[in-house]
């Protein structure tokens, strides 16, 4: 008799069905509510729909849309929110839910009034409302205290929104109850009212109870309604665990909710938000035990998601009864086919979430969620998650085994081409290996390791310690040559003394070991300089970061900036904004005199330090590319229209050429990991 294998579909805890009232969920994996900011005019149109439908195709049991759909016009979208207050949303929601349901996947939607968690200067330019006139640090608007007519209006708006979602075919609605208007009323941290809507616990519960009762009266007792709730706000003036449990018991006893999606913490600023939504370098599943306690104490169906980014942790959460449904939300941005791969016994091929949180930070920085190393996510209308084989196999040569080169080789091999990779170093990864020298960011190596594993599976010929030149390339007789040689570091230009500046790469790579007083001149604004400064400060150097920007790490993003800011505070690192290093000279004592000035004034100031480190990004390492141009059929030309639209490259301006020639990533110009991956995918998916 054989022992049961928990990884066989029949015994895998993740693949067992779950019944939530009348709704049968085919497995225990869900994508929790989040706002990818793919909406158009506040509607879930084609891009939004395609994103969620792809996850349904990938096998998960339920996708929770919106994060959050706003119920009132005076809750303007802070991050691309859907307009649940507009009747026009119903047919768009219906089309989305119908397509999701075609794949035996449930669909729910989160609705909310943002309260003070937004800004006033958009859409209708209405003042932000909150229980009390207390500003939230993260969004900075000064709200007005809601008047009674505001309260009555918004309660009705919640009910109207829930009815619209029901009409649109949603299987249920989830009310946002962590940091939004709903729970801003019940939390003593945000409700300082002295009327019947504030003060005592009973009074503070008056608004959320009115909202849920109005929703129930509109959608009926059988429709699924839940809350995503901070059961403990982990702040001395907020809701604590005993109070949170009492609230849930009250809501459940009255039949107002069917499930709770457990949150622990507060989201009033980036520092505490990163505890609710942990990023790389932070512990996995930090609130899982807490979610299990809530399930045990309340008896409610429990959903939970917080850095559950690997299958083993998710399986443990369900097997040990911590949750009923486990949210793997960022993991599905990385690989929407995660569940299907579990079902097929192909867990090793799941593209890992590496916790980079590029997805979240990019929403605020550029208005769309993108996975750092899956360029098809959010681009389902033009980019494939599943690569189709080509009609004819070709010989493809990739020069460089950094992230872009590895992705190009992977996609080309999935197309069925015969792929060779030449890499000058003894290992793959390129610049990413430098980034991972910061131990807090070492999970980035998963981007490389997954691709190396995939190339092995696909039979790609990868040759390390191999220098590529024109003769070596001709000897391999390729049909297509892709140059992915990356970039080379450069220091910021200064008036004098540039030879006295050490480059950030040398510090992170360990070639330059600096002590004493160090000026780090960040003229790029990316992770590179921030990582260098953090490593220097943690090693004991006294660091001053000098940047011409208005803020530190301008291209890093709020959540990713948190651990840097923490490190700089703990090491008393000095940050000087709106300043440039103008010159460096050797002092009589042997130390370095650094002249610092501003674009805004002719005044300059001196620093006397032991070392100056510079970061000005990278310059394309493109010498080989230019050497090969004359031998290519396209003379290196890229059809931009086809590249943008996701079409094949067909330019042939030199019929006597021996191969098509392209370059990608930093070999074109210094950008980032996602840009390199996207270059590779859209170039190679039609080879």
């Amino acid at each position: 008799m054989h022992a049961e294998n928990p990884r066989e579909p029949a015994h895998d805890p993740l693949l067992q069905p779950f019944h939530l009232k009348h709704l049968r969920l085919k497995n225990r994996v869900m994508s929790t509510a989040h706002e990818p900011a793919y909406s158009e005019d506040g509607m879930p149109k084609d891009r939004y729909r395609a994103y969620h439908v792809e996850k349904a195709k990938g096998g998960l049991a339920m996708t929770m849309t919106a994060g959050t759909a706003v119920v009132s016009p005076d809750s303007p979208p802070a991050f691309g929110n859907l307009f649940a207050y507009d009747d026009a949303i119903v047919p768009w929601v219906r089309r989305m839910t119908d397509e999701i349901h075609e794949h035996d996947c449930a669909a729910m939607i989160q609705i909310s009034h943002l309260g003070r968690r937004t800004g006033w200067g958009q859409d209708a330019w209405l003042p932000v409302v909150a229980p009390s006139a207390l500003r939230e640090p993260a969004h900075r608007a000064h709200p007005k205290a809601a008047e009674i007519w505001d309260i009555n209006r918004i309660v009705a708006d919640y009910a109207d929104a829930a009815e619209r979602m029901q009409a649109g075919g949603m299987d249920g609605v989830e009310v946002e109850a962590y940091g939004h208007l709903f729970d801003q009323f019940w939390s003593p941290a945000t409700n300082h009212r002295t009327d019947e809507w504030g003060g005592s616990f009973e009074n503070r519960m008056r608004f959320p109870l009115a909202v849920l009762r109005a929703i129930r009266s509109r959608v009926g007792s059988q429709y699924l309604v839940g809350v995503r709730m901070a059961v403990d706000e982990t702040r001395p003036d907020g809701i604590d665990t005993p109070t949170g449990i009492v609230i849930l018991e009250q809501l459940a006893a009255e039949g107002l909710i069917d499930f709770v999606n457990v949150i622990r913490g507060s989201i009033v600023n980036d520092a505490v938000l990163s505890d609710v939504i942990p990023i790389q370098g932070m512990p996995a599943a930090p609130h899982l035990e807490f979610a299990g306690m809530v399930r045990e104490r309340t008896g409610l169906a429990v959903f939970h998601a917080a850095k559950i980014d690997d299958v083993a942790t998710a399986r443990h959460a369900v097997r040990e009864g911590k949750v009923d449904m486990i949210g793997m939300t960022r993991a599905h941005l990385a690989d929407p086919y995660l569940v299907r791969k579990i079902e097929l016994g192909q867990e090793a091929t799941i593209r890992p979430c590496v916790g980079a949180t590029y997805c979240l930070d990019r929403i605020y920085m550029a208005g769309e969620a993108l996975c750092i190393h899956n360029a098809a996510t959010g681009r389902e209308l033009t980019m494939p998650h599943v690569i189709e084989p080509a009609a004819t196999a070709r010989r493809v040569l990739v020069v460089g085994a950094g992230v872009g080169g590895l992705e190009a080789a992977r996609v080309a091999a999935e197309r069925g081409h015969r792929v060779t990779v030449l890499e000058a170093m003894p290992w793959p990864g390129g610049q990413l290996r430098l980034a991972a020298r910061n131990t807090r960011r070492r999970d980035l190596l998963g981007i490389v390791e997954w691709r190396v594993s995939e190339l092995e599976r696909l039979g790609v010929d990868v040759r390390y310690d191999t220098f590529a030149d024109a003769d070596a390339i001709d000897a391999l007789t390729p049909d297509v040559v892709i140059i992915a040689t990356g970039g080379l570091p450069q220091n910021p230009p200064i008036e004098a003394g540039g030879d006295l500046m050490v480059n950030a790469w040398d510090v992170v790579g360990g070639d330059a070991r600096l002590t004493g007083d160090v000026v780090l001149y960040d003229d790029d604004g990316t992770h590179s300089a921030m990582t260098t400064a953090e490593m220097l400060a943690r090693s004991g150097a006294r660091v001053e970061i000098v940047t011409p920007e208005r803020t530190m790490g301008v291209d890093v993003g709020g959540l990713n900036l948190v651990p840097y800011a923490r490190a700089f505070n703990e090491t008393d690192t000095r940050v000087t904004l709106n300043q440039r290093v103008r010159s460096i000279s050797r002092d009589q004592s042997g130390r370095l005199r650094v002249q610092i000035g501003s674009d805004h004034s002719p005044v300059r100031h001196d620093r006397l330090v032991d070392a100056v480190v510079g970061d000005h990004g990278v310059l394309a390492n493109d010498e080989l590319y230019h050497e090969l141009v004359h031998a290519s059929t396209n003379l290196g030309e890229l059809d931009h229209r086809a590249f943008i639209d996701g079409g094949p490259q067909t330019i042939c301006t030199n019929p006597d050429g021996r191969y098509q020639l392209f370059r990608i990533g930093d070999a074109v110009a210094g950008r980032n990991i996602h840009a390199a991956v996207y270059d590779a995918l859209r170039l190679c998916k039609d080879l």
Side-chain angles (χ1 to χ4, degrees):
M1 184 174 180
H2 297 288
E4 292 183 352
N5 182 354
R7 296 199 177 188
E8 292 178 0
H11 307 298
D12 191 332
L14 289 178
L15 301 182
Q16 305 312 304
F18 176 66
H19 290 85
L20 181 61
K21 203 178 264 187
H22 61 276
L23 181 67
R24 181 186 184 275
L25 298 168
K26 64 184 177 184
N27 58 56
R28 300 303 185 95
V29 184
M30 66 179 291
S31 175
T32 54
H34 61 289
E35 189 47 72
Y38 301 154
S39 62
E40 299 172 53
D41 306 316
M43 301 293 124
K45 296 185 180 180
D46 293 346
R47 184 186 186 191
Y48 201 106
R49 180 180 66 256
Y51 165 67
H52 282 286
V53 170
E54 196 76 24
K55 291 184 288 183
K57 291 178 183 177
L60 85 172
M62 178 166 66
T63 186
M64 188 84 77
T65 64
T68 183
V70 293
V71 302
S72 306
D74 62 347
S75 176
F79 24 79
N81 306 73
L82 300 179
F83 295 168
Y85 59 79
D86 189 341
D87 288 341
I89 200 172
V90 175
W92 289 108
V93 169
R94 170 59 71 177
R95 184 177 175 188
M96 178 169 63
T97 55
D98 284 350
E99 292 191 24
I100 290 169
H101 287 152
E102 287 176 8
H103 301 282
D104 191 22
C105 180
M108 291 194 192
I109 191 165
Q110 185 184 86
I111 61 173
S112 186
H113 191 295
L114 295 167
R116 68 179 192 160
R117 191 169 172 76
T118 185
W120 50 265
Q122 54 188 312
D123 288 3
W125 283 60
L126 294 170
V128 171
V129 298
S132 303
L134 303 172
R135 190 184 80 162
E136 184 204 54
H139 289 77
R140 304 179 57 252
H142 292 277
K144 77 160 188 171
E147 301 174 66
I148 303 303
W149 59 269
D150 287 316
I151 292 171
N152 293 333
R153 167 180 58 83
I154 293 169
V155 167
D157 287 346
Y158 267 100
D160 291 344
E163 186 175 31
R164 291 186 187 98
M165 298 307 108
Q166 187 179 40
M170 284 290 173
D171 295 297
V173 295
E174 175 183 85
V175 175
E176 164 74 281
Y178 70 109
H180 290 199
L181 186 69
F182 182 88
D183 60 297
Q184 287 166 18
F185 266 91
W186 74 31
S187 174
T190 45
N191 186 344
H192 293 182
R193 299 174 75 100
T194 57
D195 62 3
E196 68 270 28
W197 301 93
S200 69
F201 174 76
E202 291 73 22
N203 282 355
R204 286 185 281 110
M205 287 295 294
R206 193 181 301 274
F207 174 77
L209 285 171
V211 166
L212 289 174
R213 287 166 181 162
I215 289 173
R216 269 290 175 223
S217 68
R218 195 72 62 85
V219 300
S221 61
Q222 293 306 302
Y223 193 66
L224 292 168
V225 178
V227 291
R228 191 171 196 184
M229 176 183 170
V231 184
D232 187 334
E233 292 186 291
T234 65
R235 51 185 300 182
D237 55 351
I239 295 294
D240 59 14
T241 297
T243 306
I245 296 296
V246 167
I247 290 172
L248 285 173
E249 290 172 341
Q250 181 174 350
L251 301 183
E254 197 173 326
L256 297 176
I257 62 170
D258 304 300
F259 65 87
V260 57
N261 195 340
V262 174
I263 295 289
R264 184 170 186 265
S266 174
I267 56 175
V268 297
N269 58 49
D270 288 338
V272 294
L273 178 60
S274 70
D275 291 325
V276 173
I277 309 175
I279 69 169
Q280 60 185 195
M282 300 178 72
H287 310 305
L288 185 57
E289 293 300 319
F290 181 79
M293 179 275 298
V294 172
R295 183 173 184 265
E296 183 179 347
R297 294 275 298 275
T298 66
L300 281 163
V302 165
F303 306 165
H304 177 62
K307 208 174 189 294
I308 315 291
D309 51 19
D310 67 280
V311 173
T313 302
R315 188 174 281 126
H316 163 80
V318 175
R319 183 181 59 240
E320 300 303 318
K322 307 299 182 185
V323 299
D324 295 291
M325 296 293 295
I326 192 68
M328 301 188 74
T329 308
R330 282 179 284 179
H332 272 83
L333 278 126
D335 194 337
Y337 285 80
L338 183 153
V339 176
R340 185 73 70 233
K341 291 176 179 179
I342 296 173
E343 292 172 340
L344 296 173
Q346 299 173 355
E347 284 183 35
T349 69
I350 293 171
R351 187 188 313 236
C353 173
V354 297
T357 318
Y358 183 72
C359 49
L360 271 157
D361 277 343
R362 186 165 172 89
I363 293 172
Y364 278 100
M365 294 176 69
E368 59 177 351
L370 296 174
C371 174
I372 193 170
H373 76 125
N374 186 346
T377 295
R379 298 190 179 99
E380 286 78 9
L381 297 173
T382 57
M383 294 292 122
H385 286 279
V386 178
I387 307 298
E388 297 295 330
T392 304
R394 306 175 72 192
R395 292 183 299 276
V396 177
L397 174 63
V398 179
V399 182
V403 175
L406 293 172
E407 176 72 352
R410 182 192 72 86
V411 177
E414 290 277 19
R415 293 278 288 159
H417 299 306
R418 298 186 295 275
V419 182
T420 301
V421 179
L422 305 183
E423 168 57 50
M425 299 298 288
W427 50 72
Q431 296 175 47
L432 189 141
R433 287 195 173 274
L434 277 177
R437 290 293 295 269
N438 184 335
T439 55
R440 198 175 45 73
R441 304 186 72 213
R442 62 178 177 268
D443 285 353
L444 286 174
L445 290 174
I447 295 172
V448 174
E449 291 164 352
W450 177 74
R451 285 174 171 79
V452 169
S453 176
E454 286 294 278
L455 295 193
E456 291 174 357
R457 178 179 66 84
L458 293 164
V460 172
D461 179 13
V462 183
R463 305 179 188 180
Y464 299 111
D465 284 313
T466 303
F467 181 78
D469 58 19
D471 290 340
I473 289 169
D474 283 340
L476 292 169
T477 63
D479 299 306
V480 181
V481 177
I482 299 170
I483 303 300
T485 46
L488 299 173
Q490 54 180 340
N491 282 337
I494 62 175
E495 295 169 6
D499 58 314
L500 298 174
M501 188 184 298
V502 177
N503 187 264
W505 282 26
D506 291 329
V507 175
V508 175
D511 294 327
R513 300 184 182 276
L514 307 180
T515 58
D517 297 309
V518 179
V519 162
L520 187 142
Y521 180 23
D522 177 13
D523 196 23
D524 198 44
T526 62
H527 277 281
S528 175
M530 293 295 95
T531 276
T532 306
E534 180 182 358
M535 292 176 70
L536 279 169
R538 292 293 193 194
S539 72
R542 295 178 295 277
V543 180
E544 177 182 3
I545 301 169
V546 174
T547 177
E549 305 293 346
R550 290 179 293 171
T551 187
M552 175 179 69
V554 66
D555 287 334
V556 170
L559 280 172
N560 271 283
L561 197 62
V562 168
Y564 292 125
R566 182 176 294 124
F568 300 153
N569 180 65
E570 291 172 357
T571 57
D572 198 23
T573 294
R574 181 176 179 179
V575 179
T576 302
L577 305 176
N578 297 314
Q579 298 286 315
R580 294 183 182 276
V581 170
R582 296 300 190 186
S583 67
I584 309 169
S585 60
R586 184 74 65 182
D587 187 77
Q588 290 180 345
S589 66
R591 303 184 81 202
L592 299 180
R593 185 170 299 279
V594 185
Q595 192 174 75
I596 296 173
S598 169
D599 296 339
H600 309 282
S601 164
V603 175
R604 298 189 177 191
H605 304 278
D606 283 355
R607 304 279 195 274
L608 195 61
V609 300
D610 299 294
V612 180
V613 179
D615 192 331
H616 194 59
V618 302
L619 196 62
N621 182 17
D622 57 3
E623 183 178 342
L624 176 61
Y625 165 80
H626 289 294
E627 183 183 350
L628 301 178
V629 164
H630 73 281
S632 66
T633 58
N634 59 325
L635 298 177
E637 184 177 352
L638 184 73
D639 182 340
H640 274 184
R641 189 72 267 158
F643 200 55
I644 293 168
D645 295 342
Q649 294 290 322
T650 59
I651 290 173
C652 181
T653 50
N654 179 26
D656 296 328
R658 297 190 290 278
Y659 41 74
Q660 285 183 292
L661 175 67
F662 304 101
R663 55 175 170 157
I664 60 175
D666 285 358
V668 183
R671 286 171 289 165
N672 67 8
I673 292 169
H674 182 86
V677 171
Y678 187 25
D679 276 3
L681 176 62
R682 56 181 166 172
L683 175 67
C684 296
K685 74 179 185 65
D686 294 309
L687 278 182

